[in-house]
Structure formats: C-alpha cells, structure tokens
Amino acid sequence: MQATIYKSTGSWYSVKTDEGAIYQARIKGIFKIDEDITSTNPIAVGDHVEIQLETDGEEGTAIITGIEKRHNYIVRSSPQGKHKKHIVAANLDQAVLVATVREPRTSQGFIDRFLVTAAAYHIPVILVFNKMDVYRDKEMEQFEHWKEVYEQIGYTVLLTGAAKGIGIDELGELLKDKTTLISGHSGVGKSTIINGLMPGLQLKTKQVSGWSGKGLHTTTFAEMFDLPNGGRLIDTPGVREFGIVDIPKTELSHYYLEMQEYIPQCQFNNCLHLDEPGCAVKAAVEKGDIDLDRYVSYATVLATINENNYD
C-alpha cells in the first residue's frame, strides 16, 4: 500500500495513504535505502513509502516495508553531531524561509546558509520577512535593502505581519498545490503564519525570550499538513543554526546564484574567489554587480568548510 510520511517522532511515523487513511507506522528490522546518503534519520517527512498493515498488532498500525526514490531532499548538520547529517524533509517543490529584521533579528549568514543548502538540492526558496508590524524606520530600510538584493538574484521576497494577518493571503497563493518546507529560527512567527494559512490548526506559539532575544522552541518534530486550498506544508523545528554539509569549497560559489555567470570567466577553474588573480567574481563585486555583503557572507561560509566538507 502506498503512503506518505506526515510526521516523524523517532521510531514511529504518521503516514497517510493515497486513499486518505492515516496509520501509525514503524520500520521493522534492517531498513536499506537506495540513496547515496548516510543520515541520522532513515526516513523523513515527505517520503513516499510502501506500508503493510499489521494484523497482530494494535489497530491502525502498519509496517514500513520500502521507500520510493526521492525526487529531492534537504539536509542539515545533525543535532547529534556536526559530522552527521539529518534529512529535514524530502520530495519538495519549494521552501519558505521565515526571517525577521527584529525580535529576533535573523542574520544574513543564516539566510545565506539556508539558500545555499536549498540551491544545492535544486529547491526554490521564498523569503518571508515577518513581524513587519514591529519594524521601525531603520528595520524597514534593512528589509528594503535585502528585498532589492535577493529579488535581483531571483528569489521571491514577501513582507508579512502574521500576527495581524498581513500578507498571509499572498503567501497562500504561492503555496497552492505545492509541497513546501517552512523553516526559520525559533521566534520568527512560523507557527503564527501556519495558523493564518490554516485557521483551524491552532499550533502553539510562544513569545521571544526577553533576556536572550532568541526564540523559544515550539515545534519538536517535523510535520506535514494538508493546506485547505491544495498543497502541503511541512513545518520544521525552529533551528538556531543551519549547518552546511557535503558541499566542497570549490563548489560553494555555484550555490550563490548571482556568482554563477561569472565563475566560467575566472582565470583558474578551481578559483575560490579570494586572492586568486584574474577572478571574475571579485571583479563583479568591485563593480557592484554582486552585493558586497553577499560576497562577505560567501567568504565567511567558505572559511567554515573544512577538508571533510562539513560545517
């Protein structure tokens, strides 16, 4: 029987069959995945699997007997260790990164690490800057700058105030009939956005921690929801960092999309765009064709990639 993973809580998975039935399922025995990836979680939300109903177990339980080849997936460094990988979700049409300019402020480094990882797995990203209702003039200036930079690269950028319902309908249109991952730091208003998209859901929301300015975790496990107007949304735990894995130094610049057209013009085909002579990327930065902050972000991320290509 065909099913899709809707929630993973460790050893048990919530699955939904193509006919709409929901079961609690588990893996029995050794489970081999025909993917060239080793991760701390063998199955992820969004995976398409084969299940077999249990006749001698609890009512409504099933065994996962196989997994279909993934269309794509997105990974980050595992909480269990920086040199381990964790599949965040699989079979995605796109991703939404929720960021904030204030309460808490999302760093450009975090945004760019997410964009790099998504680009590496060919996943388009919509950037949503939330909490516009608390932005002052200087925060709006920062947003307008980021909007210009990222839209010029080719990303879709939205401004929302989810607490007041601002921009939610516009976002909903972009999610229609697609499977979308939604991610971001804790405290950026992900749950409020999801509640706005799905009024009957009522996910828990928490305020930003006053003493640290950081968000408080409200989601423990990744979970997929069916959107009322068509499509699916995968909610993920709030992440403090987004560790890049399996991207060699020589490939990183390919995932800064605005650098792609200049890379072939570099004098050396293994150019890292730092101190090498004849570097077309650095020339584009000096001319203003590539945003300086994005270049600094690239150099910073590059410095974190060691010889094993781990963050």
Side-chain angles (χ1 to χ4, degrees):
M1 191 182 299
Q2 302 272 345
T4 301
I5 303 291
Y6 268 64
K7 188 174 185 178
S8 166
T9 58
S11 57
W12 283 91
Y13 302 88
S14 294
V15 303
K16 186 174 183 179
T17 68
D18 294 350
E19 291 74 34
I22 296 173
Y23 297 96
Q24 296 304 305
R26 57 196 172 95
I27 299 168
K28 192 168 186 178
I30 297 171
F31 193 79
K32 186 179 184 304
I33 298 176
D34 294 326
E35 292 277 4
D36 187 22
I37 180 173
T38 55
S39 68
T40 55
N41 56 328
I43 294 179
V45 171
D47 270 330
H48 302 304
V49 296
E50 286 278 344
I51 65 168
Q52 185 176 334
L53 300 186
E54 286 191 288
T55 55
D56 56 350
E58 296 180 27
E59 187 177 348
T61 61
I63 297 293
I64 298 170
T65 58
I67 180 172
E68 293 183 19
K69 186 172 177 61
R70 293 173 175 132
H71 167 62
N72 61 25
Y73 52 86
I74 190 165
V75 302
R76 66 181 179 95
S77 55
S78 171
Q80 298 177 27
K82 282 196 171 184
H83 297 293
K84 294 180 180 179
K85 289 167 280 190
H86 180 82
I87 305 172
V88 180
N91 300 314
L92 302 167
D93 294 314
Q94 61 187 8
V96 167
L97 179 63
V98 182
T100 40
V101 187
R102 186 181 179 209
E103 294 183 14
R105 185 181 189 278
T106 306
S107 70
Q108 184 165 9
F110 178 83
I111 294 170
D112 290 344
R113 282 169 179 266
F114 186 91
L115 296 179
V116 162
T117 301
Y121 294 97
H122 310 290
I123 298 166
V125 177
I126 299 166
L127 278 172
V128 173
F129 287 88
N130 192 33
K131 299 192 176 182
M132 66 170 291
D133 44 305
V134 301
Y135 293 178
R136 298 164 297 194
D137 288 347
K138 68 175 183 177
E139 281 96 15
M140 282 303 299
E141 286 177 17
Q142 177 66 74
F143 164 73
E144 292 294 346
H145 170 67
W146 274 346
K147 178 179 168 69
E148 182 181 358
V149 167
Y150 288 111
E151 283 188 340
Q152 193 168 0
I153 295 167
Y155 292 104
T156 299
V157 180
L158 291 184
L159 182 62
T160 62
K164 297 186 176 179
I166 303 168
I168 297 301
D169 289 345
E170 187 181 356
L171 176 59
E173 284 298 311
L174 295 174
L175 307 184
K176 194 173 181 181
D177 299 328
K178 294 184 176 181
T179 298
T180 306
L181 172 83
I182 185 166
S183 189
H185 280 311
S186 298
V188 295
K190 255 188 328 103
S191 296
T192 305
I193 287 174
I194 295 170
N195 286 337
L197 293 165
M198 305 177 64
L201 192 60
Q202 294 301 305
L203 288 182
K204 290 181 182 177
T205 59
K206 286 186 181 176
Q207 299 302 313
V208 173
S209 172
W211 65 271
S212 69
K214 294 180 185 265
L216 301 170
H217 294 273
T218 53
T219 305
T220 309
F221 302 104
E223 184 170 5
M224 184 155 66
F225 302 100
D226 291 321
L227 291 167
N229 296 325
R232 296 163 168 171
L233 189 63
I234 300 175
D235 186 21
T236 56
V239 286
R240 294 199 188 280
E241 298 298 335
F242 205 94
I244 289 175
V245 295
D246 280 359
I247 297 179
K249 286 191 172 189
T250 52
E251 288 183 13
L252 178 65
S253 59
H254 293 265
Y255 305 125
Y256 279 76
L257 304 184
E258 69 272 39
M259 295 184 182
Q260 289 179 344
E261 65 178 289
Y262 301 102
I263 293 168
Q265 303 168 30
C266 288
Q267 184 174 333
F268 300 103
N269 61 11
N270 61 346
C271 185
L272 292 179
H273 321 300
L274 296 176
D275 303 313
E276 300 90 340
C279 174
V281 169
K282 284 192 71 176
V285 174
E286 289 165 7
K287 285 176 62 179
D289 293 335
I290 292 175
D291 181 68
L292 177 60
D293 288 341
R294 280 277 287 177
Y295 175 75
V296 171
S297 163
Y298 160 78
T300 302
V301 173
L302 187 71
T304 70
I305 301 176
N306 65 24
E307 293 177 359
N308 293 325
N309 303 328
Y310 288 111
D311 176 59

